[in-house]
């Protein structure tokens, strides 16, 4: 497994450096959308609904649509001052019995592995939490989202379960809940008897995805029967077309800059690197200007 985040559990005055790993993975069979006649991949373009033009990824921003249909466009600067924690800490807020937390709140599970210097405090907190029979309620910021989460122990490892906020849980406002539906005692007893008859310990290994297995068999049968459309050379040449378009756009942008046009302002994060790169490029252009003009062909 590859860690997707590094941070620390903050427990009182104790800090435990940890790495975060996804604890689950989807096993769905993935498909591409293709042309039925020849198996060619279907590609999608980012097209503006206002002018019908394809939009480069660099020109795409986040927009919030109002009820009136108007759009509020947010820039990187708008997000800079938001109170999203960047401290990479898992802050322990409290400890509580696990049964007090409804599973409907749980969103995604992650494993936490201690860094070498954090192994001892990790094991200390793990053992104490496991013997208490409780879970830690924590707050953490992952992928531009702040979440409540629980910290529990599974197979000797901390599991971080991110949670939904209370206002993200829908109320089951169903009409039958207001109806006075009568259940006879004999019917209730029979239902309870059925539950008792089917009662057993849960072993997840007893269950498997029969649909996915059957689908995989269908795919394997088609492969065995040579019902496969071979890859065409034109498809492999596709990225080169995109590369040529990118190079052509870069050449045109460079011509505009040399012609006195104002260059696009780089993002703050890459500002210095972009400036250094530009200064170096202009220096080299000045040194080699004469020979370049001699041999360069007209575009």
């Amino acid at each position: 497994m590859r860690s997707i985040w590094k941070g620390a559990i903050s427990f009182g005055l104790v800090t435990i450096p940890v790495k975060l790993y996804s604890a689950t993975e989807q096993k769905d069979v993935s498909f591409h959308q293709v042309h039925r006649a020849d198996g060619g991949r279907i590609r999608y373009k980012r097209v503006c609904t206002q002018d019908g033009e394809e939009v480069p990824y660099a020109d795409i921003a986040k927009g919030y649509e109002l009820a009136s249909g108007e759009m509020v466009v947010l820039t990187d600067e708008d997000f800079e001052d938001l109170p999203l924690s960047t401290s990479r800490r898992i802050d322990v807020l409290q400890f509580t019995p696990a049964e007090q937390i409804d599973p409907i709140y749980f969103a995604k599970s992650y494993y936490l592995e201690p860094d070498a210097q954090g192994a001892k405090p990790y094991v200390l907190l793990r053992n104490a939490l496991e013997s208490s029979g409780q879970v830690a309620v924590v707050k953490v910021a992952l992928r531009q989202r702040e979440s409540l989460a629980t910290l529990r122990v599974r197979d000797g490892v901390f599991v971080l379960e991110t949670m939904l906020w209370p206002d993200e849980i829908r109320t089951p406002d169903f009409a039958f809940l207001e109806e006075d539906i009568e259940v006879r005692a004999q019917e209730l007893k029979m239902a309870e008897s059925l539950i008792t008859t089917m009662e057993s310990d849960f072993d997840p290994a007893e269950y498997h995805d029969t649909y996915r297995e059957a689908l995989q068999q269908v795919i394997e049968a088609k492969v065995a029967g040579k019902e496969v459309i071979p890859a065409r050379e034109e498809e492999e040449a596709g990225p080169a077309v995109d590369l040529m378009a990118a190079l052509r756009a870069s050449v045109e942008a460079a011509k505009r800059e040399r012609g006195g046009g104002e260059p696009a302002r780089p993002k703050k994060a890459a500002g210095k690197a972009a400036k250094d790169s530009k200064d170096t490029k202009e220096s080299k252009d000045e040194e080699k200007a004469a020979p370049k003009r001699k041999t360069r062909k007209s575009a």
Side-chain angles (χ1 to χ4, degrees), residues 128-268:
L129 187 61
E130 196 167 27
S131 64
S132 72
Q134 302 195 62
V135 297
V137 178
V138 304
K139 183 181 284 189
V140 62
L142 297 172
R143 295 173 177 172
Q144 298 299 309
R145 175 183 170 89
E146 187 174 66
S147 300
L148 278 179
T150 60
L151 210 56
R152 62 183 180 87
V153 181
R154 181 180 188 271
D155 295 335
V157 175
F158 275 131
V159 176
L160 181 78
E161 302 266 10
T162 56
M163 299 168 61
L164 301 171
W165 295 100
D167 60 356
E168 294 178 313
I169 306 298
R170 293 177 173 177
T171 301
D173 189 16
F174 302 133
F176 84 93
L177 294 173
E178 303 298 327
E179 300 175 12
D180 186 13
I181 301 175
E182 183 181 354
V183 176
R184 293 185 297 171
Q186 298 91 327
E187 293 171 331
L188 181 58
K189 187 176 181 179
M190 184 61 68
E192 291 172 347
S193 176
L194 177 59
I195 291 173
T196 301
T197 303
M198 298 179 66
E199 186 177 300
S200 65
D201 293 331
F202 176 65
D203 180 4
E206 295 180 359
Y207 304 94
H208 50 97
D209 188 346
T210 55
Y211 175 81
R212 177 164 56 91
E213 291 174 355
L215 180 58
Q216 196 66 52
Q217 289 177 2
V218 170
I219 295 172
E220 291 171 0
K222 282 185 172 288
V223 173
K226 305 298 183 182
E227 295 184 50
V228 178
I229 299 176
R232 296 186 178 183
E233 292 183 4
E234 299 86 58
E235 289 191 19
E236 294 188 10
V241 175
D242 295 338
L243 177 59
M244 287 299 297
L247 290 171
R248 188 177 295 110
S250 299
V251 171
E252 291 172 357
K255 286 181 179 178
R256 285 197 299 272
E257 287 187 15
R258 290 181 182 177
E262 184 180 352
R265 186 171 59 184
K267 293 184 179 178
K268 289 185 177 180

Side-chain angles (χ1 to χ4, degrees), residues 20-199:
L20 188 85
Y21 301 83
S22 290
T24 59
E25 59 180 339
Q26 294 293 107
K27 292 289 188 177
D28 292 341
V29 178
S30 60
F31 295 99
H32 295 299
Q33 288 190 324
V34 299
H35 186 193
R36 187 189 301 273
D38 56 18
R41 289 279 302 276
I42 303 300
R43 304 287 187 184
Y44 291 92
K45 295 181 178 181
R46 296 178 291 269
V47 177
C48 176
T49 58
Q50 297 291 336
D51 57 21
E53 297 293 327
E54 186 174 0
V55 181
Y57 185 79
D59 293 339
I60 295 178
K62 292 182 173 65
Y64 181 84
E65 187 173 5
L66 303 177
S68 61
E70 297 173 299
M71 194 70 68
V72 178
V73 178
L74 301 175
T75 65
D76 292 341
E77 289 76 14
D78 294 321
F79 289 93
E80 287 179 354
D81 296 328
L82 295 181
L84 182 66
S85 173
T86 57
S87 60
R88 290 186 172 269
R89 283 193 325 210
I90 301 171
D91 291 316
V92 177
L93 306 177
Q94 68 178 76
F95 295 93
T96 190
E99 59 269 18
Q100 290 186 4
I101 302 177
D102 191 322
I104 198 172
Y105 283 98
F106 295 135
K108 187 166 176 57
S109 303
Y110 300 92
Y111 289 134
L112 294 179
E113 176 194 26
D115 275 352
Q117 64 270 30
K120 183 173 181 178
Y122 181 102
V123 171
L124 174 63
L125 178 58
R126 180 200 67 187
N127 292 353
L129 187 61
E130 196 167 27
S131 64
S132 72
Q134 302 195 62
V135 297
V137 178
V138 304
K139 183 181 284 189
V140 62
L142 297 172
R143 295 173 177 172
Q144 298 299 309
R145 175 183 170 89
E146 187 174 66
S147 300
L148 278 179
T150 60
L151 210 56
R152 62 183 180 87
V153 181
R154 181 180 188 271
D155 295 335
V157 175
F158 275 131
V159 176
L160 181 78
E161 302 266 10
T162 56
M163 299 168 61
L164 301 171
W165 295 100
D167 60 356
E168 294 178 313
I169 306 298
R170 293 177 173 177
T171 301
D173 189 16
F174 302 133
F176 84 93
L177 294 173
E178 303 298 327
E179 300 175 12
D180 186 13
I181 301 175
E182 183 181 354
V183 176
R184 293 185 297 171
Q186 298 91 327
E187 293 171 331
L188 181 58
K189 187 176 181 179
M190 184 61 68
E192 291 172 347
S193 176
L194 177 59
I195 291 173
T196 301
T197 303
M198 298 179 66
E199 186 177 300

